[in-house]
Amino acid sequence: MSTLLASHSILIIIITVAISLVAFSQRRVLDNLIFWGPAVQRGEYYRLFTYGFVHTDGFHLLFNMMTLFFFGRILEVFYRQFAFEMGFALFYLGGLFVSILPSYFKHKNNPQYLSLGASGAVSAVLFAYILFQPWKLIFVFFIPMPAIIFAVLYVGYSVWASKKNNDHINHDAHLWGAAYGIIMTIILEPNIVPYFFSQLLNPRF
């Protein structure tokens, strides 16, 4: 139990689940934490992070936290070596911040636009993980699929859905989170690039 609690990814999951559950039943909590451009404009900068700790519903929360559970603990082994073992926590918070910035600049004066959920930061975790194990089988709605194939399909779908813009999901945050995860990992460990291509050219399932 102590080992689990020492894991920053597990702590993030516990905190996110707790806050999301409270927000499900207390609208005031949700309203105070969700991303809303006009509120950020008037100085509530914390919303650039707290929006990732509230979710639309139980399925939204479960999907994000299950993904973080399976891939966050593995990626944490790499990131914990930075920033006095706070590297993974900072990486995750950075994913929340970076993934919402384009939406902020696009909708900062739009009182009708809201965004919530950890998907941007979770995308950062998932795509950083893919650099290490591109052919690792992951389960997408119980269907086994190599991580790199999922990444290609995920990016393609997100670009398409972002252009359609008719499902009330912030697909831009998914894309920017994924890009952040890849770029930040490469900055910290440039040798991951040749390693990734070496793995890519030698599929192992």
Side-chain angles (χ1 to χ4, degrees):
M1 183 67 175
S2 60
T3 302
L4 286 177
L5 292 178
S7 167
H8 291 168
S9 55
I10 297 298
L11 288 173
I12 290 169
I13 290 170
I14 292 172
I15 293 169
T16 303
V17 169
I19 295 175
S20 291
L21 291 177
V22 172
F24 287 158
S25 59
Q26 297 186 32
R27 179 72 193 201
R28 179 178 57 82
V29 174
L30 179 65
D31 291 341
N32 287 335
L33 299 179
I34 197 171
F35 169 80
W36 186 45
V40 178
Q41 283 278 79
R42 62 174 183 249
E44 296 180 13
Y45 302 114
Y46 65 86
R47 290 178 184 264
L48 297 172
F49 298 94
T50 58
Y51 78 94
F53 292 91
V54 289
H55 288 77
T56 304
D57 52 36
F59 179 78
H60 188 203
L61 174 63
L62 178 64
F63 183 81
N64 278 334
M65 294 302 100
M66 287 293 289
T67 304
L68 181 57
F69 177 78
F70 286 114
F71 300 104
R73 293 181 304 156
I74 298 171
L75 190 64
E76 187 174 345
V77 174
F78 169 75
Y79 267 94
R80 283 287 286 261
Q81 65 183 305
F82 302 103
F84 304 101
E85 295 196 356
M86 293 297 295
F88 181 80
L90 294 175
F91 169 76
Y92 185 86
L93 292 174
L96 290 176
F97 179 73
V98 171
S99 63
I100 200 64
L101 272 185
S103 299
Y104 168 67
F105 289 119
K106 186 177 181 180
H107 300 286
K108 61 184 178 181
N109 295 313
N110 182 359
Q112 303 303 316
Y113 185 85
L114 302 168
S115 186
L116 76 171
S119 300
V122 171
S123 292
V125 171
L126 177 58
F127 276 73
Y129 170 87
I130 289 171
L131 289 174
F132 292 91
Q133 298 194 48
W135 293 108
K136 182 73 172 181
L137 286 179
I138 62 176
F139 289 85
V140 183
F141 298 111
F142 304 105
I143 300 173
M145 182 183 302
I148 189 64
I149 301 301
F150 170 75
V152 172
L153 295 175
Y154 184 85
V155 169
Y157 170 76
S158 294
V159 171
W160 173 78
S162 179
K163 289 181 178 179
K164 287 196 66 175
N165 193 31
N166 63 355
D167 59 4
H168 305 293
I169 296 174
N170 189 354
H171 295 284
D172 288 341
H174 299 173
L175 292 170
W176 283 97
Y180 162 83
I182 292 171
I183 293 170
M184 182 57 65
T185 304
I186 291 174
I187 289 173
L188 292 175
E189 182 49 80
N191 289 329
I192 195 64
V193 176
Y195 176 82
F196 168 74
F197 283 108
S198 173
Q199 293 293 307
L200 200 61
L201 295 172
N202 294 278
R204 296 175 184 173
F205 301 99

